Amino acid sequence: MKKHTTFAVSALSLALFSALSYGEQAQQNDELETIIVSGEALSLPNQVITDAKQPRQPLPAHDGADYLKTIPGFSMVRKGGASGDPVFRGMAASRLTILNDGNLLFGGCSSRMDPPTAYLSPQSFDQIRVIKGPQSVLHLPANATVLFERNSYQLSESGFTTDTSLTLASAGRREINTDMTLGNTSGFVRVNAAKAKADNYKDGEGNEINSHYDRWSANAELAWTPDADSLLMLSLGSSDGEAAYADRTMDGSLFDRRQLSLKGRKDNLADWLTRLEGQLYFNHVDHVMDNYSLRDFTPSMMMPTPAAMNPDRYNRGGRIQADLAFGKLQAKVGLDASQNTHRNRMSMNQPMMPYQDKPYVEDGRFEQWGLFTELSYAYSDNLSLHGGVRLDDWQAKDSRMSLRKTMMMTIPNPSYGQKRSDTLTSGFVRMEQQSDNQTWYAGIGRAARFPDYWELLGNNRGGENSASAFNTEAEITHQLDIGWIRNWQDIRLSLSGYYADISDFILLDKHNPMLPETVRNIDAHTFGGEASLTWQVTTQWRVESSLAVSRGSNDSDNVALAQQPPVELRLSTAYQWQDWQLGALWRLVQRQDKVAQNQGTIVGLDTLPTAGFGVLSANAMWQPNSQWQVSLGIDNLLDKQYQEYLSKSAADIPGYVVSGRVHEPGRTLWAKVDYRF
């Protein structure tokens, strides 16, 4: 009864806003930007493109996962105030290919304390592009591809531009981002920098959550553009910081990232060769987790002394791609490669035996070579066919001599020194039809995914028939993606749906709370989709909504597939008056009782059902001119106490209240000022 009442009140509120709008005759400012609240609809068939610099509600944290969760279909595994794991349609980790301006980036922590998005400051990028489903072969095969991208082109004139923002919010949050470019038609220098800091937030009942963080990042690009068709660019990046966690007995005291990239591009080499581009990159992640730097050390039976672990990962790679045109047929052909090495060192008695004095020990390495071809054929002015095929050769080596199953038990590794290799084929075919006011598409894709470090080696997990999970099979997804985009005079509707059949889905089972999980292959299927609706009721009032549904089944065990988010509906409205905009967002999440207890993936396990909830937020924006923009907001206006289904279970940390999953922030006030010159 309560759920139906909530939905009824939401619909009534939006109807009232719409009715009132007909009496308003205020002048609309067409240049006024908006606060993104309901998330972006499809920009292109099967793609969502968003401006990462645009303010949005709820106010995201400084990292990539928190930004992605504002896009319909995305969720986040909360662990504290930062460094959550992004989840799309119930898929996470290497089931999502995440690229940092063309660079593959992997974290170092075997317990996912530092997913790739933890090292990304979204506002330093020009756009975030999401390709839904296995509908491209230009990058590693995955259930979705997320591209954090910066624009690189020849400047039209000499000059200096800057885009700077300052954010202040509850829980002592302070964040500054700046993006500056200086150059002329021959080249440019671009510098991005970000600094973010926050204290522990409080949940809806006023309980403090161990969640403070202090992070910074910087990136510099030096580009040579002798003409409009040429680019040679060197990029340097670095970041570091610390973050407290509410879901474990350790915090992250070091997140050191160093990155180097060289990119080149040449356009219009011939009538049939429209572009030739290549990139080389190198990055190193150095991570430290400990139980004493960011919290008061409390001895326990499991950890009687201060302890620390220091994993790192070297990653290098590159790609080359040629764009070809033969009349109605266009093609992209190329190859890519990557190699990464993971090492670790640790101390269970930091005062007596510091980890800094110990040598790194390699535990595994991965190599990949890929060949790809992607084709587009314009069958007619309105109908086009797209397809591609990709071949990946993978090699992995297990360098672990022993497996640490518990703090007190270490056993020999049965797969020590073993190497494995797989040649995997992925591909897709898609049809698109476009007219003046609508687009529809339908595509079938195959993604053959090699198991990642965390599934084969991480946390010393075992397989069904071995103490080591190193011989886990590759995961094969066959997926149907369909969609429809329709524009009327004042209404825009976008629908996207999917059905996936997954062979050898890599599942984790927790049989014993004292031992690592067991990794095994199962058969599964998933289905669902997203819908977005925008209605410009009048020149001043706009109504938006989005719906995301994700369902899955573990066919081998005949139970629900673990780690599937509940149904989520977002309803929002905005009123524009001269250089002001006022808006509200009501986020409604259904109860999740489809639980596969103690099963899951490397980012989390199912535990208990969660109740449904509704969270109301409000915002305002003032844009006095094209240079200045001020955004204000109150997230969780009613100070609701709630937990997200995918979030991690709270750890027993002295001085903090423990209750189920990590709680979400309570009422949060925020202000953001943007300056563009």
Side-chain angles (χ1 to χ4, degrees):
M1 182 70 178
K2 184 177 180 181
K3 178 175 67 176
H4 294 301
T5 302
T6 302
F7 275 84
V9 171
S10 304
L12 181 61
S13 301
L14 290 176
L16 179 60
F17 284 139
S18 301
L20 289 174
S21 68
Y22 284 103
E24 299 290 344
Q25 300 297 326
Q27 178 67 33
Q28 181 185 25
N29 180 356
D30 293 333
E31 300 301 322
L32 187 66
E33 297 186 14
T34 61
I35 296 177
I36 299 173
V37 289
S38 293
E40 293 77 0
L42 290 172
S43 304
L44 298 169
N46 228 50
Q47 292 191 37
V48 173
I49 301 174
T50 181
D51 181 355
K53 291 180 168 59
Q54 195 76 353
R56 52 190 61 213
Q57 189 174 43
L59 179 68
H62 69 285
D63 65 9
D66 231 25
Y67 260 79
L68 289 174
K69 76 176 184 180
T70 65
I71 299 175
F74 275 94
S75 309
M76 187 186 75
V77 178
R78 182 174 291 282
K79 311 163 190 175
S83 303
D85 256 295
V87 181
F88 181 66
R89 294 175 169 176
M91 300 294 157
S94 62
R95 294 184 176 100
L96 307 179
T97 294
I98 298 176
L99 293 178
N100 166 15
D101 203 29
N103 294 258
L104 273 175
L105 179 66
F106 300 104
C109 178
S110 59
S111 298
R112 298 293 292 186
M113 188 177 278
D114 64 334
T117 47
Y119 295 95
L120 302 180
S121 178
Q123 290 194 75
S124 68
F125 296 89
D126 295 309
Q127 68 177 21
I128 301 173
R129 184 157 55 102
V130 179
I131 303 173
K132 296 184 177 185
Q135 288 294 305
S136 176
V137 295
L138 301 183
H139 311 286
L140 289 180
N143 295 84
T145 301
V146 184
L147 307 173
F148 290 80
E149 298 176 319
R150 295 187 179 94
N151 298 329
S152 300
Y153 49 83
Q154 185 185 40
L155 299 181
S156 59
E157 59 184 3
S158 301
F160 171 76
T161 62
T162 181
D163 191 330
T164 300
S165 69
L166 173 66
T167 302
L168 301 174
S170 302
R173 175 164 174 189
R174 297 85 82 193
E175 180 175 347
I176 186 168
N177 291 268
T178 187
D179 185 348
M180 299 177 290
T181 302
L182 174 66
N184 54 35
T185 57
S186 297
F188 61 84
V189 176
R190 182 177 182 182
V191 176
N192 310 101
K195 169 71 173 176
K197 186 175 184 179
D199 302 328
N200 291 336
Y201 68 78
K202 293 183 179 181
D203 63 18
E205 294 182 349
N207 300 313
E208 194 168 306
I209 307 297
N210 191 45
S211 56
H212 57 277
Y213 60 83
D214 189 353
R215 306 287 287 272
W216 66 267
S217 65
N219 188 83
E221 296 177 345
L222 179 61
W224 178 45
T225 55
D227 54 61
D229 294 332
S230 305
L231 169 75
L232 181 63
M233 184 169 69
L234 175 67
S235 299
L236 302 171
S238 183
S239 62
D240 198 1
E242 59 187 31
Y245 291 80
D247 70 319
R248 60 196 70 195
T249 57
M250 285 188 166
D251 300 310
S253 56
L254 182 71
F255 291 84
D256 182 58
R257 172 189 63 92
R258 299 180 184 183
Q259 185 169 297
L260 172 67
S261 174
L262 181 63
K263 182 186 299 184
R265 184 185 72 234
K266 184 67 176 177
D267 293 340
N268 300 316
L269 290 163
D271 291 340
W272 57 272
L273 181 57
T274 59
R275 171 170 289 187
L276 182 65
E277 61 182 341
Q279 183 173 6
L280 296 172
Y281 64 85
F282 166 83
N283 54 65
H284 175 236
V285 167
D286 189 11
H287 173 57
V288 174
M289 62 193 97
D290 64 52
N291 59 3
Y292 57 85
S293 294
L294 304 182
R295 65 179 72 184
D296 294 332
F297 172 71
T298 303
S300 65
M301 182 178 299
M302 299 297 295
M303 290 188 176
T305 57
M309 184 176 293
N310 178 206
D312 80 339
R313 190 189 298 269
Y314 285 93
N315 186 42
R316 59 195 64 83
R319 63 181 280 121
I320 185 170
Q321 177 181 311
D323 294 2
L324 312 176
F326 305 98
K328 294 183 177 182
L329 178 65
Q330 295 183 342
K332 298 177 185 293
V333 297
L335 62 89
D336 54 27
S338 65
Q339 180 190 65
N340 70 86
T341 303
H342 189 275
R343 306 183 303 173
N344 198 10
R345 58 182 179 179
M346 62 182 297
S347 171
M348 299 306 296
N349 190 340
Q350 180 66 13
M352 300 297 295
M353 296 177 288
Y355 73 86
Q356 295 93 332
D357 295 340
K358 297 188 174 185
Y360 280 105
V361 178
E362 179 183 314
D363 57 2
R365 63 175 57 202
F366 292 74
E367 295 183 6
Q368 170 266 333
W369 286 87
L371 297 171
F372 57 85
T373 300
E374 188 162 305
L375 305 173
S376 296
Y377 179 71
Y379 185 79
S380 66
D381 291 341
N382 298 327
L383 183 65
S384 59
L385 301 176
H386 308 265
V389 63
R390 180 182 179 92
L391 187 69
D392 286 294
D393 180 74
W394 285 91
Q395 295 185 9
K397 179 183 178 181
D398 187 351
S399 304
R400 304 167 299 169
M401 294 184 64
S402 59
L403 304 176
R404 192 183 187 95
K405 293 296 185 178
T406 69
M407 302 296 291
M408 305 298 294
M409 182 177 70
T410 300
I411 62 174
N413 178 16
S415 58
Y416 167 61
Q418 288 186 12
K419 296 181 180 180
R420 57 173 291 184
S421 61
D422 283 291
T423 301
L424 304 175
T425 304
S426 304
F428 77 98
V429 60
R430 184 176 69 252
M431 178 180 291
E432 300 176 8
Q433 187 176 45
Q434 299 177 341
S435 63
D436 293 339
N437 55 13
Q438 72 174 353
T439 299
W440 68 263
Y441 65 88
I444 299 175
R446 169 188 166 97
R449 184 181 69 88
F450 190 77
D452 60 33
Y453 165 84
W454 296 269
E455 293 163 334
L456 295 184
L457 308 174
N459 277 352
N460 297 309
R461 298 181 175 100
E464 284 190 281
N465 303 308
S466 172
S468 168
F470 185 66
N471 292 308
T472 301
E473 295 291 334
E475 181 178 288
I476 311 297
T477 299
H478 292 94
Q479 181 166 316
L480 169 67
D481 281 281
I482 58 175
W484 183 48
I485 305 171
R486 181 71 160 89
N487 291 295
W488 290 272
Q489 183 175 359
D490 299 315
I491 296 176
R492 175 182 171 85
L493 173 66
S494 70
L495 304 173
S496 59
Y498 68 96
Y499 178 89
D501 183 79
I502 310 173
S503 302
D504 292 323
F505 181 92
I506 300 175
L507 184 77
L508 270 60
D509 281 318
K510 189 73 170 178
H511 299 297
N512 186 326
M514 302 300 293
L515 295 175
E517 299 90 350
T518 297
V519 182
R520 63 187 177 101
N521 294 108
I522 64 166
D523 291 330
H525 72 269
T526 62
F527 62 93
E530 299 81 42
S532 296
L533 174 68
T534 300
W535 179 21
Q536 192 69 44
V537 184
T538 71
T539 55
Q540 284 77 44
W541 282 102
R542 185 182 69 257
V543 176
E544 296 181 352
S545 66
S546 67
L547 177 69
V549 179
S550 179
R551 289 283 184 263
S553 174
N554 175 343
D555 299 329
S556 296
D557 300 336
N558 198 27
V559 298
L561 185 63
Q563 292 291 282
Q564 298 299 299
V567 177
E568 179 175 328
L569 173 67
R570 301 178 194 178
L571 302 169
S572 68
T573 186
Y575 174 70
Q576 186 173 318
W577 176 68
Q578 295 182 0
D579 51 10
W580 279 90
Q581 176 188 282
L582 303 177
L585 166 67
W586 203 325
R587 178 171 175 255
L588 302 166
V589 177
Q590 193 179 50
R591 169 184 171 84
Q592 178 60 294
D593 52 13
K594 296 176 175 60
V595 180
Q597 197 164 15
N598 297 323
Q599 291 186 351
T601 67
I602 61 172
V603 304
L605 303 175
D606 278 12
T607 53
L608 297 172
T610 53
F613 59 84
V615 178
L616 180 65
S617 303
N619 63 73
M621 176 187 286
W622 177 46
Q623 190 173 332
N625 54 52
S626 60
Q627 293 181 323
W628 289 95
Q629 180 175 287
V630 180
S631 308
L632 307 170
I634 305 177
D635 295 345
N636 195 356
L637 180 65
L638 304 181
D639 211 14
K640 178 78 172 180
Q641 170 78 306
Y642 67 104
Q643 307 170 355
E644 300 282 2
Y645 178 71
L646 295 182
S647 291
K648 300 294 287 293
S649 297
D652 186 5
I653 303 174
Y656 296 90
V657 175
V658 178
S659 178
R661 295 174 176 82
V662 178
H663 290 183
E664 294 297 302
R667 184 183 297 114
T668 302
L669 283 69
W670 57 268
K672 185 173 185 284
V673 179
D674 292 271
Y675 174 71
R676 296 170 184 170
F677 172 76

